[in-house]
Amino acid sequence: MKMSQKEVKEDKKTPHNTQLYADVPSTCWPIVYSPEYNITFLGLEKLHPFDAGKWGKVINFLKEEKLVTDDTIVEAREATEEDLLVVHTRRYLNKLKAGKLAIERGWAINIGGGFHHCSSDKGGGFCAYADITLAVKFLFERVEGVAKATVVDLDAHQGNGHERDFMDDNKVYIMDVYNRYIYPGDGFAKRAIRQKVELDWGTEDREYLNKVEKFLECSLNEVPPDIIIYNAGTDILDGDPLGGLAISPQGIISRDEIVFKAARTRKIPILMVTSGGYQRRTAKIIADSILNLHSHGLIDKQFVGHEAGTTLSL
């Protein structure tokens, strides 16, 4: 079907001005964080099942192990109203920058984010910001050569927010592995999942890791993407009050290693967000996993530039 001149003009419109994609010094790790991620309200945050301070704890653990310092972390920037309108209808969103870094450096981790129950028109399940949708749309709009994205959602819950947003978008492939019996149970959103893996109560390491590895392989072979958005929830941890699965700390570390190894082997840039996790010990597990990725050379001071395909040194 031939596009009209008006449609062609609109399709090629110039992206709006934004500070979210400002250049980052090469001395910084592609790890994005802001102290504002940590929410406090006169101690009342302790009554909520979500550990509102876990992101700061992750950074502190990484500092203790001397992987990062304040000077080598990328500080997140606040989105403007123009930025929000890429996805939201004048709804407040928090931070975005890691998508561009993942393309430039080969990988990036946002210590926070992964609000996968929020869609462009409504929030849900502790999620007020559709950051996964926004990251993907920014990449499509602003980064040459990024035309296909795969969302690998390994949080214990179905990621119905981004699924609703990309329901009819064949440029976005969604793999979702989740407990079939818990929130949100969104049957409509499930129609957007290309690789659906539904788990039973109490699923343990061996079965879980085998399924993640098998179906991730299938997903990346079926539609090789230009970017992977990895929603790395730790609510799969044994004892999590909301996840209902029984994965060990080492199982989570191994899961992240599987995903990053698949991305790096195929030379696909990967953006990881940390998503859900409702136990105090998850912050240490996230930090341990990042350190494990570093020890295996899956994140390091060498990276492959997306456009040039050359190895560069930070």
Side-chain angles (χ1 to χ4, degrees):
M1 184 175 176
K2 190 174 180 180
M3 296 175 68
S4 68
Q5 288 186 342
K6 180 180 179 182
E7 288 173 325
V8 170
K9 185 177 180 180
E10 289 178 349
D11 189 57
K12 294 182 178 180
K13 63 182 180 181
T14 303
H16 70 279
N17 291 326
T18 181
Q19 294 300 311
L20 296 179
Y21 268 22
D23 289 335
V24 172
S26 61
T27 52
C28 290
W29 285 84
I31 295 177
V32 180
Y33 169 73
S34 169
E36 293 180 16
Y37 285 1
N38 305 292
I39 302 167
T40 58
F41 187 71
L42 302 177
L44 294 179
E45 70 279 359
K46 296 177 182 177
L47 302 177
H48 196 283
F50 194 89
D51 181 2
K54 78 173 182 179
W55 300 291
K57 296 173 187 174
V58 172
I59 290 296
N60 286 337
F61 286 129
L62 295 178
K63 286 180 179 177
E64 288 174 5
E65 295 297 326
K66 304 191 184 310
L67 182 69
V68 300
T69 65
D70 287 334
D71 293 334
T72 61
I73 297 169
V74 179
E75 184 175 355
R77 292 173 181 254
E78 185 169 312
T80 66
E81 184 175 279
E82 278 192 285
D83 296 325
L84 306 186
L85 294 177
V86 172
V87 171
H88 289 276
T89 55
R90 302 192 183 279
R91 192 184 305 270
Y92 177 77
L93 186 69
N94 200 343
K95 316 293 178 185
L96 178 76
K97 178 175 253 178
K100 178 173 180 282
L101 276 172
I103 294 295
E104 292 176 343
R105 308 286 182 91
W107 66 274
I109 298 172
N110 186 3
I111 306 296
F115 305 125
H116 65 158
H117 298 308
C118 183
S119 61
S120 60
D121 61 350
K122 66 178 181 178
F126 310 152
C127 300
Y129 324 120
D131 61 329
I132 291 174
T133 300
L134 189 55
V136 172
K137 286 184 176 290
F138 260 69
L139 286 165
F140 286 167
E141 177 186 279
R142 294 178 174 275
V143 180
E144 186 177 352
V146 179
K148 294 181 294 182
T150 290
V151 178
V152 178
D153 197 332
L154 301 187
D155 187 274
H157 301 79
Q158 176 200 351
N160 62 320
H162 59 78
E163 288 162 8
R164 284 176 171 266
D165 285 339
F166 295 121
M167 179 65 67
D168 300 311
D169 192 336
N170 59 14
K171 301 187 299 297
V172 180
Y173 184 106
I174 297 174
M175 170 183 168
D176 202 346
V177 182
Y178 56 89
N179 184 338
R180 70 176 78 211
Y181 299 110
I182 61 175
Y183 178 88
D186 190 336
F188 176 78
K190 288 180 183 180
R191 294 163 47 190
I193 304 173
R194 298 280 293 275
Q195 194 69 256
K196 179 172 62 178
V197 184
E198 297 188 319
L199 304 173
D200 293 319
W201 292 108
T203 298
E204 297 180 348
D205 285 17
R206 183 174 181 180
E207 177 186 352
Y208 179 80
L209 294 173
N210 284 341
K211 286 183 174 179
V212 167
E213 188 164 24
K214 173 185 175 181
F215 289 104
L216 179 61
E217 183 86 9
C218 291
S219 297
L220 297 179
N221 286 342
E222 183 180 348
V223 180
D226 301 311
I227 180 77
I228 295 170
I229 311 295
Y230 173 34
N231 199 43
T234 48
D235 52 1
I236 64 172
L237 182 64
D238 187 23
D240 189 280
L242 300 181
L245 303 176
I247 309 304
S248 70
Q250 184 55 49
I252 291 174
I253 292 169
S254 297
R255 176 200 66 176
D256 295 349
E257 185 178 328
I258 287 169
V259 177
F260 269 77
K261 187 174 292 184
R264 294 301 297 265
T265 298
R266 293 169 172 78
K267 295 183 171 56
I268 304 170
I270 180 169
L271 163 60
M272 171 177 159
V273 290
T274 56
S275 200
Y278 307 96
Q279 299 183 71
R280 300 295 175 184
R281 57 186 177 139
T282 58
K284 182 65 163 61
I285 295 169
I286 294 169
D288 286 344
S289 181
I290 293 172
L291 292 166
N292 179 69
L293 294 174
H294 179 244
S295 71
H296 283 83
L298 296 171
I299 60 171
D300 50 33
K301 293 187 177 181
Q302 299 290 320
F303 63 94
V304 177
H306 177 64
E307 294 183 0
T310 55
T311 302
L312 305 173
S313 179
L314 291 179

